[in-house]
Amino acid sequence: MEVFCSLSWTHSISPRLHIPHSFSVVETNRFRVICSAAQSQKANQMTVSVTGATGFIGTRLVQRLHADNHNVCVLTRSKSKAETIFPVKNFPGIVIAEEAGWKDCIEGSNAVVNLAGMPISTRWSPEIKKEIKESRIRVTSKVVDLINSSPQGVRPTVLVSATAVGYYGTSETQVFNENSPSGNDYLAEVCREWEGTALKVDKDVRLALIRIGVVLGKDGGALAKMIPLFMMFAGGPLGSGQQWFSWIHLDDIVNLIYEALSNPSYKGVINGTAPNPVRLSEMCNQLGNVLGRPSWLPVPDFALKAVLGEGASVVLEGQKVVPAKAKELGFPFKYPYVKDALKSILS
């Protein structure tokens, strides 16, 4: 196709190539259109390396990149797990690399997406808290070092690195945007160090730091943890219900990361949350409506703490975070309201 496309339809073509005189202008133009479309698609094709690719967001992102014919390299610590999630018959051409192969993948990529980190919605023991932080710092540091040490000609030009709204700490009254200061609790400390590690990437590399809220989607994430508790207690709010819940639909966070890969305006900190955060009582009311269950008996703090230990603070305390930068950039949210997000997920 490339050789064919490079031919211009003029009389300067070698006489050995016979072009029928009956070719109409329309047919000639059609060839030009097909050729330029193929060349344009090739020009827009990216090679993207992804850490955390087997996680809730990463899996959907890889599916989207692969469906759009981009080249994907899954950077993993467990090749067998990645091969189960991305079987070769469904994902031909995807490269799965354990840590020894990360260098070669990153050096051949246009961009890197860094989503790796131990899930926080779990029981927090001192060991788990240490691993929550260290898993994020360790992988981010390795990715940044590999990008910075890549030779100039093969160095990725974009790093999209995840962080979280936990950066802002918690409050029932404040509204946080990308310029708000960091909080002073454990998760804020994790996020500051996580972001600080990503900021060590070479200044020639465009860095987008996505502070991700509570991601709502099918078969995983916060809803998978919330729904069993919700059903057990007849669907009431978790804790007081007054805490803020800064959420985003899985499709929207994947689209935001995808846009950040190719759009040069996406740089610096960007809040990955929907434009309409809700108090948890409203979230539970909407969830009750969608599930057809009453929402009247609160899930007591002790029940959450029994399941999540200190990690219950993720749900029992929240923050009202608005996506000022994404709105300024004109990002089109598919699900701006939690009611529509829940309907799409649970219907």
Side-chain angles (χ1 to χ4, degrees):
M1 177 60 84
E2 286 175 56
V3 174
F4 184 73
C5 289
S6 66
L7 300 175
S8 64
W9 292 86
T10 66
H11 293 295
S12 64
I13 294 173
S14 161
R16 275 177 270 177
L17 286 172
H18 174 66
I19 298 173
H21 291 292
S22 58
F23 261 38
S24 69
V25 171
V26 171
E27 285 171 316
T28 303
N29 285 342
R30 190 179 296 135
F31 276 118
R32 283 202 185 108
V33 168
I34 290 167
C35 290
S36 67
Q39 286 173 331
S40 168
Q41 185 180 3
K42 198 158 183 75
N44 292 330
Q45 190 180 56
M46 297 181 288
T47 298
V48 184
S49 287
V50 185
T51 73
T54 59
F56 189 47
I57 300 171
T59 300
R60 183 66 68 89
L61 176 67
V62 169
Q63 289 168 347
R64 168 85 196 275
L65 288 165
H66 184 259
D68 286 356
N69 296 312
H70 297 295
N71 302 313
V72 182
C73 188
V74 169
L75 307 182
T76 183
R77 286 192 299 165
S78 171
K79 192 168 187 178
S80 57
K81 182 182 178 184
E83 285 170 344
T84 305
I85 294 170
F86 307 113
V88 69
K89 66 179 191 337
N90 299 335
F91 294 90
I94 278 187
V95 176
I96 295 174
E98 289 190 314
E99 287 199 49
W102 288 19
K103 180 176 185 286
D104 290 341
C105 278
I106 285 175
E107 288 185 1
S109 296
N110 308 103
V112 179
V113 179
N114 177 39
L115 298 170
M118 183 183 193
I120 60 169
S121 53
T122 184
R123 280 190 71 84
W124 291 357
S125 63
E127 296 76 24
I128 295 281
K129 285 176 76 171
K130 190 177 174 197
E131 182 57 20
I132 283 171
K133 185 197 280 190
E134 288 186 356
S135 61
R136 287 161 171 76
I137 309 302
R138 184 175 61 241
V139 174
T140 305
S141 183
K142 184 176 176 79
V143 164
V144 166
D145 288 348
L146 288 171
I147 292 172
N148 289 350
S149 62
S150 297
Q152 196 62 45
V154 293
R155 179 182 293 166
T157 55
V158 184
L159 170 61
V160 180
S161 200
T163 166
V165 295
Y167 174 91
Y168 301 111
T170 63
S171 173
E172 286 188 8
T173 55
Q174 284 178 273
V175 180
F176 301 99
N177 64 28
E178 287 84 353
N179 296 318
S180 301
S182 185
N184 53 16
D185 59 12
Y186 162 71
L187 285 180
E189 179 193 316
V190 170
C191 292
R192 280 196 304 275
E193 290 193 34
W194 196 5
E195 292 184 16
T197 307
L199 283 163
K200 292 175 182 168
V201 77
D202 191 278
K203 295 299 169 245
D204 293 343
V205 177
R206 177 169 60 83
L207 172 64
L209 287 165
I210 314 289
R211 287 184 187 148
I212 302 174
V214 181
V215 181
L216 303 180
K218 277 190 175 74
D219 308 322
L223 278 182
K225 291 264 196 309
M226 288 170 71
I227 287 173
L229 275 174
F230 189 87
M231 302 297 264
M232 194 189 313
F233 286 91
L238 307 175
S240 72
Q242 288 307 294
Q243 64 274 49
W244 283 99
F245 191 75
S246 294
W247 61 278
I248 188 166
H249 191 289
L250 180 58
D251 289 355
D252 279 329
I253 192 62
V254 167
N255 291 343
L256 185 71
I257 292 167
Y258 191 95
E259 186 66 19
L261 284 168
S262 57
N263 188 329
S265 301
Y266 284 63
K267 57 189 170 191
V269 174
I270 301 168
N271 286 336
T273 58
N276 299 289
V278 292
R279 291 197 188 267
L280 203 55
S281 54
E282 185 188 336
M283 162 74 185
C284 289
N285 276 328
Q286 298 289 1
L287 192 52
N289 290 338
V290 173
L291 292 172
R293 291 183 65 84
S295 180
W296 51 268
L297 183 63
V299 177
D301 291 13
F302 75 79
L304 271 172
K305 284 175 178 162
V307 176
L308 296 177
E310 196 186 344
S313 63
V314 176
V315 177
L316 292 172
E317 302 161 27
Q319 57 282 101
K320 184 179 185 181
V321 178
V322 292
K325 186 85 178 282
K327 287 172 83 172
E328 181 192 312
L329 289 164
F331 177 76
F333 285 93
K334 191 174 170 187
Y335 299 102
Y337 296 100
V338 76
K339 179 180 176 182
D340 299 325
L342 291 171
K343 272 186 184 166
S344 83
I345 294 161
L346 298 168
S347 59

